[in-house]
Amino acid sequence: MRLHFDRLLVSRLLAHAEAATEHSPTYAQLMDKAFHREGVTAQFPSTSDMDLTKIPAGLMLVGDLGIYLMSNGSPGLKGENGVANLVAYAEEADPQLHPDSWHDVKQASFGADDGAEFLSAESIRKALEATVNGKFWLNVTASHIFAPSLASRN
C-alpha cells in the first residue's frame, strides 16, 4: 500500500538523524552484535549494551498507533507541546486525520504486529529526490518496504 508523508517534515527528520552522533536502535539492531559495545555477551541486550555511535543515521518506520516516520538520532527531535519525538504520520494512517480507519490501513500495510523498521539515510534521501515533483511516498506491505529511487547515472 502506498503511504504518503509530509515531504518537509521527512526532510527535517532526516537532517536531525544525519546531524546526530548517536542513534537509537531498532529491535533488529539491538540484536545485531555489530552494534554492541566491546565485550557484551548478553543474550537479550539492552540499549546500555549498545555502542550508539555505530548505528547508522536514518529514519524508523513505526507501526503502532498509526504509521509514522521518526528520526533515529539521539537525543530525539522534540515535537510541539512536550512531545518526546517529532514524527511524520502517513496521511492514510494518521489517527488524528482518520480516527475510524487508521487501524485498518495500519493492518493492511504494516501488518497486525507493532514494530519499527530502519530505513537508511541514503534510501530516504534518494526517495526524497525521486519524488521531488510530487508527494513523498513509501510502498509498505507486511513483508516489504519499497521506496522510490532515481536510476543511477552512469
Side-chain angles (χ1 to χ4, degrees):
M1 173 178 286
R2 190 172 283 191
L3 301 175
H4 300 88
F5 300 83
D6 180 305
R7 167 183 299 290
L8 292 176
L9 188 49
V10 171
S11 295
R12 185 173 168 200
L13 295 171
L14 180 59
H16 174 265
E18 291 182 315
T21 57
E22 294 185 341
H23 300 91
S24 299
T26 62
Y27 181 76
Q29 290 169 324
L30 190 66
M31 302 308 287
D32 187 337
K33 294 181 187 302
F35 301 124
H36 293 179
R37 293 184 190 280
E38 199 169 313
V40 170
T41 58
Q43 184 175 359
F44 299 104
S46 68
T47 304
S48 64
D49 296 318
M50 306 296 291
D51 181 344
L52 301 178
T53 64
K54 291 181 180 179
I55 298 170
L59 301 184
M60 291 185 200
L61 179 69
V62 180
D64 185 16
L65 183 60
I67 299 174
Y68 52 88
L69 292 167
M70 64 183 283
S71 168
N72 75 338
S74 183
L77 180 58
K78 302 285 185 212
E80 295 178 12
N81 302 325
V83 174
N85 285 297
L86 183 64
V87 302
Y89 274 99
E91 292 174 7
E92 299 82 356
D94 183 338
Q96 296 291 322
L97 296 178
H98 305 289
D100 297 327
S101 63
W102 72 264
H103 190 263
D104 293 333
V105 172
K106 190 260 183 196
Q107 284 199 333
S109 59
F110 197 87
D113 293 334
D114 292 349
E117 297 295 330
F118 174 75
L119 305 174
S120 72
E122 180 181 3
S123 67
I124 296 297
R125 196 175 316 100
K126 285 180 180 179
L128 284 165
E129 291 171 3
T131 60
V132 72
N133 294 322
K135 287 192 170 197
F136 175 83
W137 59 268
L138 298 172
N139 194 4
V140 180
T141 72
S143 59
H144 293 88
I145 301 168
F146 300 97
S149 62
L150 295 172
S152 62
R153 297 178 185 142
N154 293 331

